[in-house]
Amino acid sequence: MTLHEALSRLLDGDLDPVAADALRTRIATEPDVARAWATMSGLPARIAGLSAFDSQSGAPPVGALPGRVLATSSSPQVSSARRPAFRYVPAVAVALAAGFALFVIVPKPTPQIVLGAGTSEVSGDVDVLVGDATIHVSGESSITVEPSPDHLRDARSEVQMDKSYLLAAFVGATLSLTVQAGTAVIQSPGKEPVTVTAGQTHREGPARPLTAAPGADPGADAAHIADLEQQLTGLKLQHAMEVAQLNSVNGTPQDFPADLPAGYKPAEFEKNIRDAIKGNPDVDVLSVNCDEYPCIAILRSSYAGDDWGQKLTDLGTSIRDKDYGENAGIHEDTELLRGPDGDVRVMAFATEPPVHQDENVEIRRSSRVKGLLDGIGDAEP
Amino acid sequence: MDPVVTRAAAGDVQAQAALVGREGPRLYALCRRLTDDPDDAYQEVWERVFRALPRYEVDGRPISAWIATIAHRHLVDRWRRGRVREEVPFDDDVAGDVIVVPSTRDLDEALAALPEPHRRVVLLHHLHGFSLDEIAVNESVALGTVKSRLHRARAALALALGATA
């Protein structure tokens, strides 16, 4: 134990009486120890004082939380069936700022909302932009956007996109608008505004046919095609960047190394796990996933004491120590999950030899563990 | 019960927004001090809070402490997901290496240099008022482990801050 650890224990009364008396004597007689004690004894108050700066923590505004967190964030109110992705915003925003400022510039009178694919509930007095169409909502409306067959992005992607990109991607989308209260006015280029009132549904699209209208100006068509080609090139590049971004988060599938010791290979790994829980009535094997390297076992505990997580991790550590040795890497992730049949206490367990452990393996393993646990139930707070 | 909490638990969006506005800065400060991706963690904690809010019961504990507990457990989960356990000794209630924190006058900097499990204990105990028992339960570790982390963390902080005092 270092001097400072001893001082910390003295502060909390965690030193035995003899050691405490000896340390107090040193504090009284040795200036360096007295200074260290002064710093130590002032620490709790100093740390507590950090709360004074919490109000300057830079917390994102309420409106920055996506709809799935808060049913809606601020007026105008929008709740979307699609799951927006908040977490990739910084990287994507930087990429977009760097490379795609050339995209459609959209005037943004307040308030405006840009929608992509899916159904959204919109309320308030707000302009909703979809592709090159504008819907002015006064009241409450439900708007469904179906991408055109020519749309250029994977609508399932969770990467949040720049609004101008979103608009470009949904030119030609089909809109379905149902007004629950008030009115909504759809304005598409080259068309008369359509007013939809409460109780009515209106379907429109594609907003901009890609075939030339009779009598269209060939020069304008050529410019339009050139514009679309430019967008297509940019969007393809953007797609590649999004794939790279997702790979950096979700990792890429890992093959089982050819020289992997037998214990880490699927058959023996599963045997080791099942052997280890024999005689332990509180634990069973929910699944063993060896689709990729490394194998991941999901162990379930029927024991619900406060230390259930510790017992599971102790079990995992004992498996590692017994079958793989203490130098093997170990990943143990305990979660209390809310499944369809009630609470489930689980641990994801994986082990890797040091020579086959790297950042790619770790990223991919973490992503797989998350997927496996999400498939069992929602995490309990 | 706090009417804002009651309404937020019932799904009142304005009340939820008010709760975020009221508790958000403190929660974000915690996320900022305990993760390298505070925006992501902050969003995930609020997701958990609003999922669990209908089950919130007043038992003498203020809503801020209840939210901090959810945040604590979530941040532990995040840390465990992102780590191979051996990188930071988990069961470190035995004497281990001294944690080296660069000398600094800035408490925030010294805290940032601590291993995450040690930083969690010292912040939750001294800044958020958690008892060591509560921390042990939330982290699913022994009380001795929590105490060991606290003492090692404070020793490192005192060394870092004292060296330039």
Side-chain angles (χ1 to χ4, degrees):
Chain A
M1 188 189 319
T2 66
L3 168 66
H4 285 82
E5 281 184 56
L7 291 172
S8 177
R9 288 179 185 276
L10 180 67
L11 192 64
D12 286 359
D14 281 347
L15 272 187
D16 67 74
V18 175
D21 283 345
L23 193 52
R24 285 194 194 98
T25 302
R26 289 188 66 190
I27 293 169
T29 57
E30 299 177 34
D32 285 351
V33 179
R35 273 195 295 276
W37 172 243
T39 304
M40 178 62 71
S41 53
L43 256 184
R46 205 165 161 183
I47 296 168
L50 290 173
S51 63
F53 302 100
D54 284 354
S55 60
Q56 304 159 24
S57 66
V62 176
L65 289 172
R68 69 189 159 98
V69 178
L70 220 54
T72 184
S73 53
S74 59
S75 181
Q77 298 177 346
V78 178
S79 60
S80 173
R82 291 196 310 127
R83 182 183 180 199
F86 182 69
R87 64 188 66 191
Y88 310 131
V89 167
V92 174
V94 168
L96 287 166
F100 301 103
L102 71 163
F103 283 157
V104 182
I105 305 298
V106 182
K108 294 175 181 173
T110 306
Q112 279 190 336
I113 294 169
V114 178
L115 294 184
T119 299
S120 300
E121 304 296 329
V122 178
S123 63
D125 192 17
V126 55
D127 284 335
V128 179
L129 309 180
V130 184
D132 52 1
T134 302
I135 306 169
H136 181 76
V137 173
S138 296
E140 292 179 21
S141 293
S142 171
I143 300 171
T144 300
V145 181
E146 300 167 34
S148 133
D150 303 309
H151 86 290
L152 298 169
R153 66 175 282 273
D154 179 356
R156 292 166 300 178
S157 164
E158 292 195 354
V159 175
Q160 181 156 318
M161 295 181 301
D162 178 84
K163 288 179 177 179
S164 60
Y165 173 60
L166 200 57
L167 286 168
F170 285 91
V171 168
T174 298
L175 306 178
S176 181
L177 168 68
T178 301
V179 177
Q180 282 98 25
T183 60
V185 180
I186 302 180
Q187 176 72 65
S188 297
K191 295 184 179 178
E192 288 296 316
V194 177
T195 301
V196 185
T197 56
Q200 291 184 331
T201 295
H202 177 79
R203 190 174 169 85
E204 177 157 329
R208 180 191 285 174
L210 295 177
T211 53
D217 176 0
D221 285 348
H224 181 52
I225 290 169
D227 180 49
L228 289 174
E229 285 176 344
Q230 187 183 34
Q231 289 183 31
L232 177 60
T233 302
L235 291 168
K236 281 180 175 174
L237 182 57
Q238 174 68 21
H239 176 70
M241 292 176 67
E242 287 176 1
V243 169
Q245 175 73 15
L246 285 173
N247 284 344
S248 74
V249 175
N250 293 333
T252 51
Q254 302 290 308
D255 292 330
F256 281 87
D259 60 344
L260 193 67
Y264 298 93
K265 292 181 178 174
E268 197 155 331
F269 176 83
E270 181 163 358
K271 179 177 181 302
N272 290 342
I273 297 293
R274 294 195 182 280
D275 286 350
I277 65 164
K278 280 179 185 167
N280 187 340
D282 293 336
V283 178
D284 67 331
V285 179
L286 215 52
S287 65
V288 176
N289 182 297
C290 294
D291 292 348
E292 300 172 19
Y293 168 78
C295 287
I296 299 170
I298 306 294
L299 303 180
R300 174 174 55 187
S301 171
S302 57
Y303 170 70
D306 286 343
D307 56 345
W308 68 269
Q310 184 67 53
K311 285 182 180 298
L312 277 179
T313 54
D314 287 348
L315 172 64
T317 304
S318 73
I319 294 171
R320 190 276 307 268
D321 292 351
K322 174 177 170 292
D323 295 319
Y324 301 94
E326 293 183 0
N327 289 330
I330 185 172
H331 179 93
E332 298 170 304
D333 187 353
T334 57
E335 284 272 12
L336 175 58
L337 301 170
R338 168 160 289 197
D341 300 320
D343 289 347
V344 189
R345 292 166 177 78
V346 295
M347 176 179 72
F349 171 85
T351 179
E352 298 131 12
V355 292
H356 293 303
Q357 216 177 9
D358 60 30
E359 189 180 1
N360 291 331
V361 169
E362 186 171 340
I363 290 171
R364 183 63 179 176
R365 186 230 305 119
S366 295
S367 167
R368 289 172 61 212
V369 165
K370 185 175 186 314
L372 289 169
L373 296 181
D374 284 350
I376 298 170
D378 291 334
E380 285 274 7
Chain B
M1 190 188 295
D2 181 340
V4 171
V5 175
T6 307
R7 283 167 41 219
D12 181 326
V13 172
Q14 285 183 324
Q16 290 179 351
L19 193 62
V20 172
R22 193 176 75 188
E23 304 294 337
R26 187 168 167 80
L27 176 61
Y28 189 76
L30 181 66
C31 293
R32 192 169 52 78
R33 292 188 177 109
L34 288 180
T35 75
D36 52 9
D37 190 354
D39 287 346
D40 202 25
Y42 179 72
Q43 174 187 335
E44 290 170 351
V45 171
W46 277 119
E47 280 184 60
R48 283 192 168 199
V49 166
F50 287 125
R51 265 209 313 265
L53 199 54
R55 301 196 298 278
Y56 170 69
E57 292 173 2
V58 177
D59 53 3
R61 207 163 47 140
I63 187 72
S64 57
W66 183 79
I67 290 173
T69 298
I70 289 177
H72 179 196
R73 291 177 181 172
H74 182 69
L75 294 172
V76 171
D77 289 345
R78 276 177 65 97
W79 174 74
R80 284 182 182 157
R81 273 196 180 138
R83 292 276 175 190
V84 173
R85 184 68 52 81
E86 263 47 36
E87 288 179 8
V88 177
F90 190 63
D91 189 14
D92 51 357
D93 50 349
V94 293
D97 295 336
V98 174
I99 302 166
V100 178
V101 175
S103 297
T104 172
R105 287 178 186 277
D106 188 300
L107 179 55
D108 259 328
E109 277 180 33
L111 282 164
L114 291 175
E116 192 171 318
H118 298 76
R119 189 162 70 242
R120 275 201 305 268
V121 172
V122 80
L123 283 174
L124 290 165
H125 184 52
H126 291 307
L127 185 54
H128 290 266
F130 282 56
S131 72
L132 298 183
D133 285 318
E134 282 177 297
I135 294 171
V137 169
N138 289 346
E139 302 238 357
S140 297
V141 299
L143 178 60
T145 302
V146 173
K147 285 186 175 181
S148 169
R149 289 176 182 172
L150 176 68
H151 294 315
R152 292 178 64 192
R154 287 201 308 217
L157 291 175
L159 264 174
L161 298 168
T164 54

